[in-house]
Amino acid sequence: MLPDIANRLDNIPFAGIRKVFQRANELEAQGKKVIHFEIGRPDFDTPGHIKAAVKTALDNGHVHYAPNDGIPALREALAMRLKLDKKLNYNPQKEIMVTAGGQEALYLTFLSLLNEGDEVIIPNPCFGPFGLAIQLAGGVAVKTPLLPEQNFFYDLEAAKELLSPRTKAIIVNSPHNPTGGVLTAAQMKEVVDFACRHNLILISDEAYDKMLYDDSFVSPATFPGMKERTVICGTLSKTYAMTGWRIGYIAAPEHIIGAAVRLQQNIMLSLCTFAQHGAVAALTGPQECVEAMMSEFARRRKLVLEMLGQIPGLALTGSPGGAFYAFPKITLPGISSSQVTDYLLNHAGVAVVDGSAFGDGGNDHFRLSYAVSYEDCRIGLERIAKVMQMFAQRSL
Ligand SMILES: Cc1ncc(COP(=O)(O)O)c(C=O)c1O
């Protein structure tokens, strides 16, 4: 018998969302219309001027390896946007690197920072790869409850109880996947104070930094003295509808970038060179495309929140202020989120993700992503309303 695969993969499953996606595809192959509320990516095309820059880059022969930390023009463009959008000063030569999306930014961060057994406080529920990336880096993800009535902010009292001498970092992710919650400046300050008081590194996942509806974005790195303590993991994926391009970044103190670039040299070598030229055009070119996408998301969000608010057996705590997610709670006694999400998919043609796929803090919820057309939002929510009426009758 051939030697087996490594034990480190024992607890590394495929993401829960993948199963939903596969089943939705099967149903579509049978000719059924499925509303894809499960997908966590903008449904827009990448704007034309960004694609045009890649075509030019290809014509100009930008087809060879790039520097390990990314092409200088992209690091400079990232520094420019950090300054312009977040009032942060990062040195593009030493404090910024390009990564394969926000996801690789997270992996490089954990691999650079964690020793075996080091602990990281993560939100529960959260984007699944947080926990898995920490585990693969030899660390321990300490799932910490969130407070739905406070925009899904950390329960810092609970977080305090979970601290140990091995706690090294805490993650913030605002706007938050899967809930759409956005932290206020005051809440960000509280988590910043918590990190300082307990000498933790603050890892800020800023994947949705341009996707806010009411408030403005606050990065923890803007608080006095915090740039030295913060690792920003960012991405162009959501802002410019570029999920397939795999361009993200880390902005962090020089020694952390130095370590992550050493890893990058040994893992990816470098990122796709011509895609990086497209990314420069995204960051330095006209930003109206982002505004146009966000105003369409805002229109859908309004519809989704209005319709969800009228569905029996579902409750939204607060109103999700960012990203393109809603995270309603199922309030019918004796009815679980898996019963509802399975029924929705198999009998009503609506794909949503069971909240438990994001950690047990998501039990009794589902994530609905309104990255589908306005019309599909309406049809999908009408279907959800019918199914919930049926479950409401059943639970009487
Ligand atoms: C919170 C969060 N961080 C990071 C990512 C990774 O995005 P990408 O690797 O496409 O940049 C995602 C993607 O869904 C996300 O939701």
Side-chain angles (χ1 to χ4, degrees):
M1 207 167 75
L2 274 177
D4 204 357
I5 56 161
N7 298 339
R8 80 168 66 81
L9 281 164
D10 285 353
N11 297 314
I12 306 287
F14 276 116
I17 190 169
R18 197 183 145 109
K19 264 196 260 156
V20 181
F21 196 59
Q22 273 170 354
R23 178 71 186 133
N25 286 344
E26 278 168 30
L27 290 166
E28 279 176 332
Q30 294 164 17
K32 303 207 168 101
K33 175 163 169 70
V34 177
I35 306 293
H36 285 280
F37 282 147
E38 82 280 24
I39 301 177
R41 58 137 173 81
D43 53 317
F44 302 90
D45 193 6
T46 305
H49 68 280
I50 305 176
K51 290 186 183 175
V54 173
K55 290 175 195 159
T56 308
L58 281 168
D59 288 343
N60 289 340
H62 291 298
V63 295
H64 303 293
Y65 292 129
N68 307 128
D69 54 353
I71 60 171
L74 181 50
R75 283 181 276 117
E76 275 154 28
L78 286 163
M80 180 276 288
R81 287 245 74 92
L82 283 161
K83 172 98 189 124
L84 207 67
D85 301 340
K86 301 182 184 170
K87 305 203 171 26
L88 287 167
N89 287 306
Y90 279 91
N91 179 338
Q93 269 86 47
K94 296 181 181 154
E95 296 176 323
I96 295 178
M97 71 178 289
V98 181
T99 59
Q103 177 122 336
E104 200 214 3
L106 291 164
Y107 270 83
L108 293 182
T109 299
F110 298 129
L111 284 167
S112 299
L113 291 176
L114 301 182
N115 287 315
E116 204 63 34
D118 280 344
E119 295 173 13
V120 182
I121 293 180
I122 68 167
N124 183 14
C126 71
F127 177 53
F130 288 168
L132 299 180
I134 291 166
Q135 188 185 321
L136 278 172
V140 178
V142 180
K143 293 182 189 174
T144 306
L146 305 182
L147 302 167
E149 63 286 359
Q150 290 184 34
N151 320 329
F152 292 94
F153 181 50
Y154 273 120
D155 180 344
L156 287 179
E157 284 304 312
K160 205 166 131 199
E161 296 299 310
L162 292 167
L163 288 169
S164 87
R166 298 301 306 270
T167 315
K168 192 159 187 181
I170 180 167
I171 299 183
V172 275
N173 171 217
S174 170
H176 179 235
N177 179 7
T179 65
V182 174
L183 302 191
T184 62
Q187 287 174 322
M188 197 57 96
K189 167 98 172 54
E190 271 190 65
V191 80
V192 157
D193 289 346
F194 184 87
C196 292
R197 208 174 312 125
H198 302 292
N199 195 24
L200 306 177
I201 294 168
L202 211 164
I203 299 166
S204 180
D205 182 326
E206 305 190 356
Y208 300 95
D209 56 358
K210 289 291 174 62
M211 303 197 143
L212 284 85
Y213 300 97
D214 303 319
D215 304 296
S216 34
F217 177 77
V218 187
S219 173
T222 48
F223 289 84
M226 279 308 287
K227 192 185 147 195
E228 290 66 37
R229 198 180 270 288
T230 305
V231 178
I232 295 177
C233 294
T235 176
L236 276 68
S237 284
K238 319 282 176 174
T239 309
Y240 301 100
M242 286 173 64
T243 48
W245 294 53
R246 313 309 303 132
I247 301 286
Y249 67 93
I250 306 176
E254 184 177 344
H255 68 288
I256 299 179
I257 293 293
V261 173
R262 257 190 293 151
L263 277 168
Q264 183 74 305
Q265 181 174 64
N266 288 289
I267 297 175
M268 298 287 285
L269 225 175
S270 66
L271 279 310
C272 174
T273 308
F274 45 88
Q276 293 188 61
H277 284 271
V280 173
L283 297 168
T284 58
Q287 300 298 300
E288 286 79 11
C289 50
V290 181
E291 285 161 28
M293 180 174 75
M294 285 313 293
S295 67
E296 174 55 17
F297 272 137
R299 201 166 78 90
R300 297 175 192 173
R301 172 176 176 264
K302 187 164 176 287
L303 176 76
V304 167
L305 298 188
E306 269 167 23
M307 289 185 75
L308 272 179
Q310 288 166 16
I311 296 179
L314 290 184
L316 261 186
T317 319
S319 83
F324 36 78
Y325 304 121
F327 200 62
K329 182 174 181 167
I330 294 152
T331 55
L332 299 173
I335 307 287
S336 71
S337 51
S338 66
Q339 272 173 289
V340 171
T341 56
D342 287 350
Y343 193 94
L344 279 172
L345 182 57
N346 291 305
H347 302 284
V350 178
V352 292
V353 187
D354 189 332
S356 62
F358 303 95
D360 55 10
N363 288 354
D364 302 326
H365 293 71
F366 62 79
R367 188 189 76 174
L368 181 157
S369 156
Y370 44 93
V372 296
S373 72
Y374 190 83
E375 188 52 14
D376 274 5
C377 285
R378 202 183 48 71
I379 298 172
L381 282 150
E382 279 168 4
R383 292 182 183 181
I384 293 176
K386 274 203 190 123
V387 169
M388 290 310 296
Q389 267 148 17
M390 183 208 77
F391 275 114
Q393 291 294 324
R394 244 194 228 180
S395 80
L396 283 178

